[in-house]
Amino acid sequence: MKKYFLYVAILFSFVLLSCNKSYFDINQNPNQATEGSVTPDLLLPTALHNTGTSVGAAYAPLARWMGSWTRGGDYGPNQEEESYILTTGFGGVQWANWYNFTFDYDVMEKKALASGQNIYAAIAKTMKTIAFMNLVDLYNNVPYSSAFDLSGNLQPKYDKGSAIYLDLFKQLDQATALLNSAVPNADFNIAKADIMYGGNITSWKKFINTQRLKLLLRVGTNTTLVTPATEIAKITADGSGFITSTTQAIVNPGYVKGNNPAGQSQQNPFWDTYKANVAGVEFDNFNRANNFILDTFKTTNDIRHQYYFDKATTPLTGVQYRGMPYGYPSVAGLPSSLNASGVGGPGLAKSVSQGQWIMTSVESLWLQAEAVQRGWITGRTPLDAFQDAVRESYIFLGVPNAITAANNYMADPLNAIKPYINFASSTTPIASIIIQKHLSMVGMNNFEPWCDYRRISTGRPGDTGDGAALFTFYRNAKSVNLSAASNEIPRRFRYPQREFNFNASVVAAEGNPDPQTAKIFWAK
């Protein structure tokens, strides 16, 4: 499947050019990829690779906000990020990437439906829910219904975030129906083009079920948008279950140590971003372990920090795993980046050729644990679901004798007062699940802890119950930047500057919401 990297440069050019209406009016060049010549099997591998890169190897600022990572001691402060006072120039790459990548899925869906390739159409619909979930979770209202109407709407309207979410549930319904009508092992080159599941319909259904549960947990406790019982019934009726350790949503088009003919790296995206380049040079000296999360592991005898983080290249006073504070107003007094732990630890960056995760069995079990605690999933106790998810984290990271190590961590008498470890004694079980979920997924999905925090806590003093427990825990992760004294972790991003440049009248109607006070529709 290494040949699919040859399509990356071609399709990247296609996606960028396709955002321009005039692209479809040019004369045909036999050597150029055009809308008519690009088929679903050519679009799918690149789209899946790009999705894996965005989910599993991005959102580093969020990892720093939530106390997982921080900047190394060789780098000065980023005033905008560390003061939480965001402008329209912050994070715009996420907007651009998700819309560019999702255009591929949109084209693929239309082509697949027109040609009766139901499995491709189902995959496209499913993956579009990932993209628009991310966009809504970042910005709330965004272009959706007319986002890709290039022939008739170059200034697309903004749809309400709640309306988009409602339609995402419907898209998953349609994707399941398409899979039910798809012919297993049909041709269409699906076994090679589908670099995640090889066209396995049951695996795709598990992914849909898990994504449905994820969307439901985002909205199910503070809105009448959907009914949890109805959505859970759809999962139960399908009978495929959720993602497991053998059906994780992991993409791999043939990652190798090298560049393709277009000069683009063929390495695993996480490795390529946070571990080492093609020449083998460990170049990410910026991201380092955050003292907040590292101290949390060390003080609870939790060995997982040795798998999330690297040993310091040049240890000081024998400390191999060293963190940095977040938001320190200068580099004065900070150890060098070489004295602190990098973020590409052996449990995450296992090899240049490993698959890139989009959704792991660890995340799947934590989603289920919360659903069990809320009474949406029956047949298991919340304690069993919690402990199974902790064990799965140890297994995923490759901890030796993982189950025993996880059990010892949870049974350690020193941890009995920690409700996010001794779950049986927790009076705020949802907060305990959210905190331990974060500890179980450091660096694996930097987006998820930020979303979990916002949907459970207001991020302000005055929370009660689970929200108060979360606020208290993450209070210690807050930036120490002096200008951030009155600010909290942002609730959303501002709309990117490109929208004010090219879609000015439409985005202006949204009122330029303040990240400190404006909430995503599902947020507490």
Side-chain angles (χ1 to χ4, degrees), residues 63-224:
R64 297 190 285 270
W65 282 349
M66 300 307 298
S68 293
W69 300 351
T70 187
R71 59 179 159 89
D74 298 339
Y75 301 87
N78 180 324
Q79 187 68 17
E80 180 175 14
E81 177 191 312
E82 295 174 13
S83 69
Y84 307 133
I85 304 174
L86 307 185
T87 69
T88 58
F90 184 86
V93 65
Q94 301 299 337
W95 178 285
N97 284 346
W98 281 116
Y99 276 111
N100 282 339
F101 302 161
T102 309
F103 182 83
D104 279 1
Y105 289 124
D106 192 69
V107 172
M108 186 175 80
E109 178 186 350
K110 291 181 174 66
K111 287 178 172 289
L113 289 172
S115 59
Q117 299 182 39
N118 286 359
I119 190 167
Y120 283 102
I123 292 171
K125 284 180 175 291
T126 301
M127 299 312 296
K128 284 170 69 176
T129 72
I130 299 291
F132 280 104
M133 177 190 69
N134 275 261
L135 284 165
V136 171
D137 295 351
L138 285 165
Y139 300 100
N140 201 33
N141 303 337
V142 297
Y144 179 70
S145 58
S146 58
F148 303 117
D149 181 15
L150 302 181
S151 62
N153 196 339
L154 292 180
Q155 293 183 306
K157 69 173 184 176
Y158 280 50
D159 295 274
K160 297 293 185 182
S162 56
I164 295 171
Y165 254 68
L166 179 59
D167 195 64
L168 297 186
F169 283 99
K170 294 177 181 178
Q171 294 301 312
L172 292 179
D173 293 343
Q174 294 171 21
T176 300
L178 285 165
L179 288 177
N180 288 335
S181 63
V183 179
N185 302 317
D187 195 6
F188 309 133
N189 208 28
I190 188 63
K192 291 183 177 180
D194 179 5
I195 61 172
M196 189 156 81
Y197 287 133
N200 186 292
I201 290 175
T202 300
S203 294
W204 273 107
K205 287 184 176 182
K206 289 178 181 290
F207 181 74
I208 289 173
N209 289 339
T210 311
Q211 171 65 356
R212 186 186 299 277
L213 182 59
K214 187 171 184 174
L215 291 171
L216 183 60
L217 286 168
R218 287 279 204 273
V219 305
T221 62
N222 59 4
T223 181
T224 57

Side-chain angles (χ1 to χ4, degrees), residues 440-453:
S440 299
M441 294 176 57
V442 172
M444 291 164 56
N445 185 331
N446 294 326
F447 192 59
E448 196 66 6
W450 184 53
C451 291
D452 285 339
Y453 178 63

